[in-house]
Amino acid sequence: MKQLSGNFQRKTFSSVLVKFAVCFLVLGLAYRLFSSSLLQFSPVFVGNDEKPGLSAGKTMPPQVVAEPPPEITDDPFLNLDDHAPENVTEKCNLFLGDWVPEPNGPMYTNTTCQTIEAPQNCMKNGRPDSDYIYWRWKPRDCNLPKFDPNKFLNIMRKKSMAFIGDSIMRNHVQSLLCMLSKVEKAVDVYHDEPYRNRRWSFPSYKFTVSLFWSPFLTKAHTFEDDNGVSTGLIQLHLDELDTLWTKQIENLDYVIIAGGKWFLKSALYYENNTLVGCHNCHNANITQLGFQYAYRKAINSVLKFIIGSKKKALFRTLVPDHFENGEWNTGGYCNRTRPFKEGEIEINDTDEIMRRVELEEFQCAAAEIGSANTMSLELFDATLLSLLRPDGHPGVYRQFHPNARIDKHANAKIQNDCLHWCLPGPIDSWNDLMLEMLLKDKN
C-alpha cells in the first residue's frame, strides 16, 4: 500500500534567483530574469493549549505542522471547513484516505454528551492520554466536510433510521446521538430489558433512530453471558433472517446494517431446520463448514431481503480489531497512542476473508438492483479507515479506573477492549461519511 507522507500535504517552493545590473546613478536601469518563484514557509506549530471540557487530565493534543492557507481558486474542494458540493462522493473514493490532525478536537466531550455508555467513556474511566481525539478522516482526492447536525436533522425530518447489527452498531449510534445533541438531545422512547434494542426520538424534527441487536442478522440461539462466556454452541439458522428487524422494515426509511465478528464464534449451522454443519464444534460426526460458509449465506440472504424491501440502505463492512499478543480472552491488549500510517499494518487473514465475502456479495446485489430500480444500496466501507486506528479503543479503560481495581485485588485480571471505540473517538468520522452518502442519495 502506498505510504502516507506526513501530517499534511504541502506545496514545495523553489528558491528565488534575481539578478540586477546597475548602471550609473543617473541611468538607474534594472534587469530581471523571470523564473517560477514562491516563498518558503517556515513550519508553524500549533500551541499546546488544553481543550476545555475534557476530563482526561493534562495530556495535550499532538504537536502538528499547520497547513498553509489554500490558494483562492474556484475549486470548492480546497476549503476544508466549507461544505463541499453534494455530489462530492462522485468525485472520489471517500474510503481511501488518511487520518490527519484535527487541532480543534471533537464536536462533543464525555461531559457534554449524556448518552455515552460506560465501557466507551474512556476519559471518565481514567484514560490518561487524549491525543486519539485530535484526528479526522480525510479522503485523498476530495474534501470530506465535518458532520453538520443541522443538515443531518433537516434531511431526516419526518424520517426513521435503523442501525442493525452487533455492539459496533450500538457504538455508532452513541456517536451519532452525541453529535446530534449539539442541536437537540435525543429522547429515549423505548428500550428492552437489557437495553440492547432501543429507539430515540428528536421531537422537533419528528425523526426517530432505532437500534436492533442482531449480531448474526439471521435467526440464532445463543448461550452466553454478558462477558461472552459460552455455556453451549450457538445455533445459527442460515436461511432464516432475524424477525426482530425484518418485521420492522416497512416502518423504516433508512437502514444501516452490518455483519461482523460474531460469525467467528463456534456454532452449529442449520438450513431448513436441519443441521448441515458447524464451525469449530469439535464433533467428528458434524461436517466442518467453517465461518466463511455461514457468513456468505447470511450476507447473501440479508442483501436480497434489503433489495426486495426497496429501502434505502448502507451496508457497512467489517471493522478490524487491534488486539496484540493475544485475543480478548487470552491477554491481548491495545496500548498504542497514535494512528498507523498506511503500510505499517496489513489486514489479517481472517478479516480479509470476511471482507472478500462482503465485497463479492455486495457486487452481486448491486448488479441485481440495476439502474432502473428506485431503491438505494450503498457500500459503507469502514474496514481500511478503521484498520489504521489502533489508538482509539478503550483497552483497559472499558472499566472505571482499572489500575485502582488491581491495587485492591491482587489477582484481578483486566480484560482489554480492542474492538469497540472510545467516545469521542475515531468512530465519530463515520458520521461525516454517512452524511455525505445520504446527501449523494438526495441528488
Side-chain angles (χ1 to χ4, degrees), residues 136-151:
R136 73 183 182 100
W137 180 250
K138 172 66 173 70
R140 293 201 183 138
D141 299 323
C142 67
N143 171 38
L144 176 63
K146 294 180 182 179
F147 182 81
D148 185 336
N150 282 294
K151 184 181 288 287

Side-chain angles (χ1 to χ4, degrees), residues 141-198:
D141 299 323
C142 67
N143 171 38
L144 176 63
K146 294 180 182 179
F147 182 81
D148 185 336
N150 282 294
K151 184 181 288 287
F152 181 89
L153 286 170
N154 277 311
I155 67 173
M156 287 292 136
R157 191 181 293 274
K158 297 183 180 180
K159 302 292 185 182
S160 58
M161 172 178 281
F163 291 76
I164 305 168
D166 57 19
S167 55
I168 298 295
M169 278 296 185
R170 183 167 66 239
N171 205 171
H172 188 181
V173 170
Q174 291 178 58
S175 170
L176 177 63
L177 296 180
C178 285
M179 297 178 86
L180 294 179
S181 69
K182 299 288 289 184
V183 175
E184 183 174 6
K185 288 181 170 58
V187 177
D188 192 345
V189 294
Y190 167 80
H191 63 80
D192 58 10
E193 187 174 350
Y195 283 81
R196 282 183 167 177
N197 299 286
R198 306 186 66 175

Side-chain angles (χ1 to χ4, degrees), residues 42-290:
S42 298
V44 178
F45 293 93
V46 176
N48 285 337
D49 295 330
E50 186 172 2
K51 302 300 173 184
L54 300 178
S55 60
K58 300 295 183 182
T59 305
M60 304 300 179
Q63 198 173 47
V64 297
V65 179
E67 188 176 19
E71 291 182 351
I72 299 175
T73 72
D74 293 329
D75 187 352
F77 301 119
L78 287 180
N79 300 317
L80 296 183
D81 291 330
D82 294 335
H83 202 287
E86 294 185 354
N87 64 348
V88 63
T89 49
E90 297 177 359
K91 296 182 179 296
C92 78
N93 182 350
L94 287 173
F95 307 103
L96 180 62
D98 314 304
W99 287 98
V100 299
E102 176 49 81
N104 292 327
M107 291 179 59
Y108 66 95
T109 72
N110 66 310
T111 59
T112 62
C113 180
Q114 307 304 314
T115 54
I116 303 175
E117 295 184 7
Q120 282 76 54
N121 200 335
C122 303
M123 292 181 180
K124 183 177 180 180
N125 291 341
R127 178 167 174 169
D129 63 302
S130 61
D131 288 2
Y132 65 94
I133 65 174
Y134 293 100
W135 301 87
R136 73 183 182 100
W137 180 250
K138 172 66 173 70
R140 293 201 183 138
D141 299 323
C142 67
N143 171 38
L144 176 63
K146 294 180 182 179
F147 182 81
D148 185 336
N150 282 294
K151 184 181 288 287
F152 181 89
L153 286 170
N154 277 311
I155 67 173
M156 287 292 136
R157 191 181 293 274
K158 297 183 180 180
K159 302 292 185 182
S160 58
M161 172 178 281
F163 291 76
I164 305 168
D166 57 19
S167 55
I168 298 295
M169 278 296 185
R170 183 167 66 239
N171 205 171
H172 188 181
V173 170
Q174 291 178 58
S175 170
L176 177 63
L177 296 180
C178 285
M179 297 178 86
L180 294 179
S181 69
K182 299 288 289 184
V183 175
E184 183 174 6
K185 288 181 170 58
V187 177
D188 192 345
V189 294
Y190 167 80
H191 63 80
D192 58 10
E193 187 174 350
Y195 283 81
R196 282 183 167 177
N197 299 286
R198 306 186 66 175
R199 185 166 63 254
W200 297 266
S201 172
F202 292 83
S204 299
Y205 296 85
K206 297 182 179 179
F207 169 55
T208 60
V209 177
S210 299
L211 173 64
F212 293 102
W213 168 258
S214 186
F216 292 105
L217 305 176
T218 63
K219 179 181 176 181
H221 301 288
T222 59
F223 309 93
E224 63 178 43
D225 60 23
D226 292 338
N227 294 319
V229 178
S230 299
T231 58
L233 289 178
I234 295 167
Q235 299 173 7
L236 189 58
H237 294 257
L238 302 178
D239 56 350
E240 295 184 54
L241 296 180
D242 186 356
T243 57
L244 177 72
W245 65 271
T246 58
K247 286 184 177 180
Q248 298 294 325
I249 199 77
E250 290 301 319
N251 302 321
L252 302 171
D253 295 298
Y254 292 89
V255 171
I256 295 88
I257 194 165
K261 297 285 190 175
W262 278 68
F263 282 86
L264 301 179
K265 293 176 178 285
S266 301
L268 299 172
Y269 298 151
Y270 291 82
E271 295 180 40
N272 295 320
N273 290 319
T274 302
L275 180 64
V276 296
C278 73
H279 170 57
N280 199 31
C281 62
H282 304 293
N283 189 326
N285 296 321
I286 303 177
T287 303
Q288 290 282 341
L289 294 175

Side-chain angles (χ1 to χ4, degrees), residues 378-394:
E378 297 287 341
L379 187 71
F380 192 116
D381 193 354
T383 304
L384 297 181
L385 64 96
S386 301
L387 182 65
L388 299 178
R389 291 307 305 272
D391 57 320
H393 302 292

